[in-house]
Structures are given as C-alpha cells and as structure tokens.
Amino acid sequence: MRIVVLTKPVPDPAAGQERLTAEGRVDRAGSPAVVNGNDEYALEAALKLVEASPDGGEVTLLAMAPSNAPETLRKALAMGAHRGVLVTDPALEGSDTLSTARVLAAALREMEYDLVLAGADTSDGGGGVVAAGIAAILGLPYLSYAARIEPAEGRVRVRRLSATGFDVIEAPMPALVVATQGARSKEITTRALSDLDVDGATPGGAAATAKVTGSRKPEQRGATKVVRVPAPEAAKAVVDFLAQRRII
Amino acid sequence: MAGALWVVGEATSEGLARVSTEVATLARGLGEASKRDVVGVVAAADPSTAAEELARYIPRVLAIAAPEAADRSAAPAIAGRLAALVEREAPGHLLIGATPDGRDLTGFLSALLGWGVLVNAGSVEWTDGRPAVEQSVFGGKLLTTSTFTDDHGIITVRPNSTTAEPASSPGKVEPVDVAPSVELPAVTLVEHVDESSGTVPIEEARVIVAGGRGVGGPDGFSVVEELAAALGGSVGATRAAVDAGWIPFAQQIGQTGKIVKPDLYLALGISGAIQHKVGMQTAGTIVAVNRDPDAPIGEFADLFVVGDLFEIAPAIAAELRSRSG
C-alpha cells in the first residue's frame, strides 16, 4: 500500500501571530508554522492503513510550501511518514486554490500510489476545495469526509460523514480520499516549479484568479458579564440574559 | 443571460439544503444591486423537489436530471453536467453553500472550468461591477474583502450568513437536458445510513449547546443534551470530548472540526482554547459555564457563569421549562 498524504504547513493558530502581507496574502514568514491539524488526521489514517496492510507499504508526504517548510515537515515525518516531497519555488508565492490544485496534481503525476489522502480543509485558507480539484484534474475517484477507510482487492470503501449520519461509498484505487478522523526518519526532496509539468495558467500571485482588496478587524464583543452565585440564581440570570437578547 | 448570478442549490434526501435558501436570498440582493439575472440550478437524480423549493426564492430555476446520481456520491456525479451547463449558458458567477457537498462540488467546478474560488463568504456586496466577498480569516481575527481578477468566479457561502426570505412571488422551474462535459470516475453509493436524532446539523443550528472536557464522560453529555433540547438547539463538542470517544466527530467544533455561527453558543465545561475558539467565536451570543474562573473562555464570552455545570445546566433547563409554562 503506497499512500501520499497532502500536507500543508500553516501559521500556528495557537501562536496567535497570523497576519497578512501588504499584498493581502498570508504572511508565511511572520508566524511559526505547524502541520495543518486536519492533515495530521490524514497522516494518522495513512500510517494505520500501511500498518494494517499485509504487504506493508510507504507513506509519502507531499507539500507545496515555502523553502523553509522542511522544519515543519520533519515533525510530520517524526509521526511515522517514510519520506517527503516538497514542491517549493518563489514563483508559487500567492498561488490560489486552483493553481495549488494544478501544481499538486502535476507533482502527483510523477508519483506512484494506491491512495492519496488529504485533510478536510486547512486552518489558514479553510476553503476545503483543493482536494476535489486535484481529483478532477487527475481523473481520480474522489471520496471525501472519510471517517473510516477500508481498502480491499483493488477498491477502497469509505464511511463518508453526512449531516445526518454517513454514507458508505466505494471506488477503485488509485483514489483520492479526504480523511476526517484518523487514529494515532527520513528524507525530503524538493521540486522547483520548472521540474513539474503544470497545465493551465502559470501559478503564483501574478496569475491569481482572486485578490484581497481590503481588511478590517471584526467588531469587538462587549465586556463579559460574570455571574458567580448558587445554581438556581445563576440559571435565572442566564435565562434573563437570553430573554433580554431576544434569543428565547 | 451572460453575466448572470447562479445559485447552485443542494438537493438533500428531504428536499433542498437550508443553506441554499440563504444563498438564494443573498443572490437576489446582489441581482438587484448588479442588475444581473439571478438563476438557480439544481442537479440531482430527481431534482424536482429541491428545484421547486429553490424557486420560492428565485425567479428562474434550471433542473438537471442526473440519473447516475441515484447510486453515486453526489458531487462527482453531478459536476460534469453542471460544468457543461455553465459552458453552454455562460453565467458570470456561481454561488454555492459551504457545506461538505458544496465544497466538493466547488473544487470540481473550479478545476473543470478554470474559475477562481473565494471561500466561506460571510457577506457579498456588488462593488465596481464585481462581487466583493467578505471572509473571516485566521479563526475570526480578521475580516478580509476580496474580488476576482476576471469576470468569473465561484463563491462558497457560509451557512447562517443570511436569513432566508422567500421572494414576493414564486419563480418557475425549467427542466434542462445537458450531457456531462467530462465523465468523472464513478464513486458508488453502497449504503445510506441516517443516524440523526431529528436535530439540525450543527453548521445550520441557530442554538448550540456544547460540551468539553469538563463534562467528564459520555454520561455527562446527557446534561448537554437535556439543555440543548430545552433550548431547541443542537449538541456540539470540543476535540478533547470527541477524541475521548464521548461523542461522534460530526459534532466537533473548532480548528479540526466545524466552524459554526449560531445565534447562541452555550459552552459547558469548555476552557476556550484557541483551537476551539476559532470554530465558534463569531456566534451571536456566547454563554459559558465553567468551574475555573480563569478559563480563557471568560475573556470572550458575553456571559460567564462560574460554577458547576452539573448543577447549573439542569437548573437552566428547568428555568426555561417553567417560563414556557
């Protein structure tokens, strides 16, 4: 079982230093980076699948990120991935979701795998649209929001979470699976943009299909009202508060 | 019809996803501001119910029958036909609800059409001949406004961003025939399992009562559920509670779960760590109950009750019941 896990270094939300550059892009140098939380789910799921596979296998990380990303990827390798591929190039800076899908698809075309695993979305962009784009470009079966992943006899069966329960869906491998929950050293090679055959428009900020035109801080919440009284009075205070705000 | 604004409606087993009615309402406003046509489109094995529902909000709705969607995963089954219709009818922009199916579909359409995407819109206005999309980024710390650099694009709209309002007069549904522009690989639907307890999915809920580590165990969630029922809301949870196996992942709110925007978020035994805060801090009103007076949630809640949730939550439920008589 050969699995590629799409992995994105993102500004560490816990550090609280995320900001935009003057061009309105995420300032990737201005904040400590971590592996995107949902990608860790995908990595855990991949490691479990390889562990359970009778003929073993290999987990490869694939990331498109600035050249300082190996530090972040090493943490993901330390979790048990076997190797990493980093697509890095100054010309990729400012790439939008469509360019990102095209570049990652081009990188995947050069790799061999039974499954590609991705996280549901990233904590910085949060769009959750890149993985489906890659599947469309490569013509891979796409199985998303997978809470359980079961490969068998050349096919993969997934329990896809829905708003009201789950669907069991199935397709032949190779396939792209978006993992939600998982269970729980090595080499990084780097690829420049010119090493890849990217179709469609050139990636990078100059070719971006959207741009940030402004930003503002959200309205501050009012001061916190603190209640510290016995339960019956506290309950009355809560219900009065909700009534005053016309929630009930 | 060039330059029209299209609302891509999401068909569910019950009819039309609620977020699609919100997106339709938002698009109607944009249509007035931009003087562009607003058109709905629904693709499904049987699109009629969802299309009729969408037509209560939009003057014209195109219904694409996609028989192959009956036993397949939805987004890859319908994306090819939708892309072909977009190529034939040449709308300007697509607006889609930011649900799991909506995001999947957006990713497919973006790649098939070569169109850019602006994700998770909280509001959209028409400015200088283009949609200006406001998005909450970095877990709600900043609001950005973005536009597309050309005349096309796909916008995903976060649930609960707008209050849905039907149009003054209902629109018309037009069945359309269109062959897929590409055949995406089939993903077979083997089984559909409905586990819902009859409550609204947390992304769409107006009231959420959520439990964290302080709830203490799976039994503790009965207190959370009781209060949610008393408020007519849905149950949410932190990653800690989900990882501990107390409650399913579908209820997880935060950085690795759902981002929610209810009118009321009532947090029980939740400390308010940043990973959870980013999933709920844009809620209209935040009420927290926590034993620890120094819990971080006390810094951004509107009302912070210091005390034992196992005493206070049932007392709130009882008080609500007594007032509703």
Side-chain angles (χ1 to χ4, degrees):
Chain A
M1 176 73 57
R2 296 156 304 174
I3 304 179
V4 178
V5 179
L6 305 182
T7 314
K8 187 180 186 188
V10 295
D12 184 357
Q17 295 167 27
E18 308 103 316
R19 58 176 185 229
L20 296 180
T21 63
E23 295 84 36
R25 299 170 188 162
V26 176
D27 183 354
R28 302 203 178 272
S31 172
V34 292
V35 171
N36 177 48
N38 279 328
D39 299 348
E40 287 185 1
Y41 280 145
L43 174 56
E44 286 171 4
L47 294 169
K48 256 190 143 179
L49 286 170
V50 165
E51 208 177 279
S53 172
D55 47 354
E58 193 178 71
V59 175
T60 304
L61 306 174
L62 171 60
M64 174 180 130
S67 59
N68 62 358
E71 290 168 43
T72 313
L73 294 181
R74 290 212 181 278
K75 290 175 204 153
L77 287 173
M79 289 173 71
H82 299 83
R83 61 192 191 98
V85 175
L86 171 64
V87 180
T88 186
D89 198 303
L92 291 171
E93 199 187 321
S95 290
D96 57 17
T97 55
L98 179 56
S99 294
T100 304
R102 284 170 171 159
V103 170
L104 289 173
L108 283 166
R109 251 187 219 117
E110 300 195 341
M111 301 169 81
E112 291 191 357
Y113 50 82
D114 302 296
L115 286 175
V116 178
L117 257 57
D121 59 14
T122 57
S123 60
D124 55 352
V129 301
V130 169
I134 293 169
I137 292 165
L138 294 177
L140 286 173
Y142 175 78
L143 303 89
S144 59
Y145 300 93
R148 190 181 292 176
I149 305 165
E150 297 167 324
E153 291 163 16
R155 297 180 70 81
V156 60
R157 183 173 274 222
V158 150
R159 184 179 271 208
R160 181 183 195 264
L161 295 177
S162 68
T164 53
F166 61 88
D167 291 333
V168 178
I169 55 176
E170 192 187 88
M173 294 195 283
L176 194 159
V177 175
V178 175
T180 51
Q181 252 179 327
R184 293 270 151 179
S185 288
K186 300 131 197 184
E187 187 199 354
I188 297 174
T189 55
T190 65
R191 310 300 311 268
L193 187 55
S194 55
D195 298 334
L196 301 174
D197 178 20
V198 179
D199 56 40
T202 315
T209 51
K211 61 171 193 269
V212 176
T213 54
S215 66
R216 66 181 175 94
K217 294 259 184 215
E219 288 82 20
Q220 289 294 307
R221 304 191 81 91
T224 302
K225 185 178 168 194
V226 180
V227 172
R228 211 170 175 168
V229 292
E233 288 113 274
K236 281 196 179 66
V238 170
V239 177
D240 285 342
F241 184 79
L242 297 182
Q244 185 196 326
R245 291 202 167 202
R246 298 178 188 279
I247 292 167
I248 54 166
Chain B
M1 203 169 66
L5 304 171
W6 276 20
V7 175
V8 181
E10 181 178 330
T12 68
S13 46
E14 268 95 61
L16 184 69
R18 200 188 73 188
V19 67
S20 300
T21 65
E22 297 167 1
V23 177
T25 305
L26 186 151
R28 231 169 48 222
L30 281 180
E32 280 161 27
S34 64
K35 312 262 189 294
R36 293 187 181 213
D37 289 340
V38 177
V39 177
V41 56
V42 176
D46 177 4
S48 52
T49 313
E52 289 293 344
E53 175 68 14
L54 190 57
R56 292 180 55 220
Y57 297 82
I58 295 183
R60 180 171 174 233
V61 175
L62 310 176
I64 306 171
E68 64 278 11
D71 54 359
R72 291 204 205 157
S73 191
I78 62 173
R81 286 183 197 268
L82 278 168
L85 193 66
V86 168
E87 278 162 2
R88 192 170 88 192
E89 305 283 325
H93 297 86
L94 309 182
L95 292 99
I96 302 180
T99 60
D101 279 345
R103 291 164 145 208
D104 284 352
L105 187 60
T106 300
F108 281 116
L109 291 174
S110 168
L112 295 178
L113 298 167
W115 285 17
V117 181
L118 286 167
V119 297
N120 299 331
S123 70
V124 185
E125 302 203 343
W126 198 264
T127 314
D128 300 330
R130 293 208 163 127
V133 176
E134 187 162 85
Q135 302 155 291
S136 165
V137 299
F138 302 144
K141 266 190 278 185
L142 195 67
L143 294 165
T144 59
T145 304
S146 302
T147 60
F148 296 105
T149 52
D150 63 14
D151 296 329
H152 295 291
I154 309 173
I155 300 167
T156 68
V157 180
R158 205 158 242 167
N160 285 355
S161 295
T162 315
T163 304
E165 280 170 33
S168 46
S169 57
K172 273 207 287 208
V173 174
E174 295 170 30
V176 292
D177 257 335
V178 61
S181 58
V182 289
E183 292 284 354
L184 292 164
V187 176
T188 313
L189 178 60
V190 180
E191 192 187 359
H192 175 78
V193 179
D194 205 340
E195 287 183 322
S196 76
S197 45
T199 57
V200 181
I202 54 171
E203 300 103 307
E204 296 189 353
R206 295 284 179 187
V207 173
I208 293 173
V209 182
R213 209 186 290 274
V215 167
D219 300 341
F221 265 90
S222 60
V223 173
V224 181
E225 282 156 13
E226 185 201 346
L227 185 50
L231 282 162
S234 297
V235 173
T238 63
R239 178 173 179 172
V242 172
D243 280 353
W246 301 343
I247 182 164
F249 176 74
Q251 313 312 121
Q252 185 171 319
I253 292 164
Q255 189 194 324
T256 54
K258 310 262 167 62
I259 311 279
V260 296
K261 196 184 175 190
D263 295 336
L264 170 64
Y265 193 88
L266 208 157
L268 300 174
I270 291 175
S271 67
I274 182 75
Q275 289 82 355
H276 185 69
K277 183 183 175 188
V278 299
M280 44 65 79
Q281 66 185 336
T282 57
T285 293
I286 298 171
V287 175
V289 180
N290 203 298
R291 240 184 343 207
D292 175 7
D294 299 320
I297 201 162
E299 288 160 26
F300 60 93
D302 299 295
L303 182 68
F304 182 33
V305 183
V306 181
D308 183 349
L309 73 92
F310 293 101
E311 291 177 13
I312 292 165
I316 298 171
E319 182 70 23
L320 285 164
R321 282 190 295 264
S322 78
R323 291 202 198 184
S324 67

